[in-house]
Amino acid sequence: MSALQTLPSQLGRVQLSGFSRGFQGKNVLDAIDLDIPSGQFVALLGESGCGKTTLLRALAGLDAHAQSAGVARVQGNVSVLFQDSRLLPWLSVIDNLTLGLTYGQATAAAQALMNDVGLGDKAQAWPATLSGGQKQRAALARSLLREPHVLLADEPLGALDALTRMRMHLLLRRLVERVRPTVILVTHNVDESLLLADRILVLKDGKIAQDHALDLPHPRRPDHPAFMQLRSTLLGSLGVETAIT
């Protein structure tokens, strides 16, 4: 992955220019041009296999063996939030959060973040004793502890039950508004993208098929006319016209 010269005013900016990525001679991403300014919350929608995770992994600097062309640039520190928490079972929760960081100041910051995500009393707990939602809250705290300029989130809420997912929506939005990283969230959930994002991209056949800016205040209401109209458009683009309400 190429890198631009990092300038303070550009930290968090994500740019792709004619970027393609493939495996075994088959392109998954096809000549994508994209510019995401610093601090924007972007949701990435698309059917399974359209290249969403491939794009995220490219921006994270993973899959170095893949065949790539064009330029992908991410300015600043990057943190990745995966579909599962990936907590190491032999470490306490707080040791998972601070792994690889300097002890002391990082521990104090980790405890403060654990308080923010409602896990203040779980610092010395083992990951196996946490619920799925608690594990994902710990993973979110771990990602934000690195003070990322760009947070790449690959369906981190997909395995949660509906109520826990709603609570995570509120928590994620609150913490993102405070920390202000650029966020790219891969999701299959249209309503989730509408509730959280400033901008929604639809990926189809390896290309950006739709690009929607959202100018709706938070917290958002699903019964708002603009919310309902864009929901209809997005569902239609994903081939779910009959589910429109």
Side-chain angles (χ1 to χ4, degrees), residues 191 194-195 216-217 219-231 245:
D191 288 344
L194 289 164
L195 288 169
L216 293 172
R220 291 180 177 157
R221 294 178 49 186
D223 60 349
H224 190 288
F227 187 107
M228 296 174 67
Q229 182 177 6
L230 185 51
R231 181 176 187 270
T245 58

Side-chain angles (χ1 to χ4, degrees), residues 6 29 44 48 97 201:
T6 302
L29 302 175
L44 186 60
S48 296
L97 266 63
L201 305 176

Side-chain angles (χ1 to χ4, degrees), residues 128-149:
T129 67
L130 303 183
S131 68
Q134 289 173 327
K135 289 177 182 178
Q136 285 305 89
R137 280 187 273 155
L140 175 60
R142 180 183 57 195
S143 293
L144 295 178
L145 182 62
R146 272 69 185 168
E147 299 182 346
H149 299 105

Side-chain angles (χ1 to χ4, degrees), residues 228 231-233 235-236 240-245:
M228 296 174 67
R231 181 176 187 270
S232 175
T233 298
L235 285 171
V240 201
E241 291 92 338
T242 56
I244 298 170
T245 58

Side-chain angles (χ1 to χ4, degrees), residues 68-107:
S68 299
V71 178
R73 297 170 173 146
V74 179
Q75 301 198 52
N77 300 327
V78 177
S79 188
V80 182
L81 191 57
F82 294 98
Q83 294 180 20
D84 56 77
S85 65
R86 305 204 177 185
L87 300 176
L88 299 177
W90 56 86
L91 293 180
S92 68
V93 175
I94 197 163
D95 286 343
N96 265 282
L97 266 63
T98 58
L99 184 64
L101 301 178
T102 303
Y103 187 80
Q105 186 175 2
T107 302

Side-chain angles (χ1 to χ4, degrees), residues 20-31 67-69 205-206:
S20 299
R21 172 157 284 198
F23 301 89
Q24 298 180 339
K26 181 180 179 181
N27 266 1
V28 178
L29 302 175
D30 187 11
Q67 303 151 350
S68 299
D205 298 327

Side-chain angles (χ1 to χ4, degrees), residues 118-166:
L119 296 176
D121 61 341
K122 300 293 185 181
Q124 300 305 323
W126 299 112
T129 67
L130 303 183
S131 68
Q134 289 173 327
K135 289 177 182 178
Q136 285 305 89
R137 280 187 273 155
L140 175 60
R142 180 183 57 195
S143 293
L144 295 178
L145 182 62
R146 272 69 185 168
E147 299 182 346
H149 299 105
V150 178
L151 176 61
L152 304 174
D154 188 6
E155 294 191 77
L157 313 181
L160 303 181
D161 64 81
L163 288 177
T164 302
R165 192 165 184 157
M166 290 172 65

